[in-house]
Amino acid sequence: MSVKQKKALPAEKSIVVLEVKPWDSDTDLDAMEAMIRCIEMDGLVWSKVAKRIPLGYGIERLDIYAVVENDKVSVEELVETIKVFEDYVQSVDEGAFVKL
């Protein structure tokens, strides 16, 4: 084996933007964001970036960013895990997925 073959390749990573929509304008987005950030998975790193995007009628969605290792984290599984917070979360969409 050559030296190049012996070196471990760096893990393939991607940036994911998750669009999390609350039930209504009374939903506490700070509490919702804190719950989402408590989710831990091997290969998942939450970015410090989160944006509130106005949707209408006083409702804002939370766009939250994360870096994932493609071989370790299933974005679909992450979305389903976020949906467990059903008192806060109406829906979760994958807004963007960019390979690094």
Side-chain angles (χ1 to χ4, degrees):
M1 291 185 127
S2 71
V3 174
K4 287 184 180 179
Q5 290 174 330
K6 288 183 182 179
K7 288 186 179 178
L9 295 174
E12 289 186 14
K13 295 181 181 180
S14 299
I15 296 174
V16 181
V17 180
L18 298 172
E19 299 174 348
V20 185
K21 296 179 187 105
W23 285 106
D24 55 34
S25 61
D26 295 331
T27 301
D28 185 348
L29 294 183
D30 292 328
M32 184 171 73
E33 180 181 351
M35 283 188 245
I36 292 169
R37 289 186 184 279
C38 286
I39 297 170
E40 294 181 358
M41 295 178 164
D42 186 30
L44 169 68
V45 178
W46 293 107
S47 169
K48 293 180 182 176
V49 177
K51 296 180 182 177
R52 294 179 181 201
I53 309 297
L55 297 176
Y57 302 102
I59 300 173
E60 296 178 319
R61 79 168 186 242
L62 181 69
D63 284 8
I64 191 162
Y65 296 65
V67 176
V68 297
E69 287 186 34
N70 299 341
D71 292 338
K72 293 183 178 180
V73 178
S74 162
V75 175
E76 291 80 17
E77 183 180 326
L78 178 57
V79 166
E80 291 304 315
T81 304
I82 293 171
K83 286 181 179 179
V84 169
F85 305 122
E86 59 189 24
D87 290 342
Y88 291 86
V89 177
Q90 177 188 15
S91 65
V92 182
D93 295 313
E94 187 180 312
F97 187 91
V98 180
K99 290 189 177 188
L100 298 176

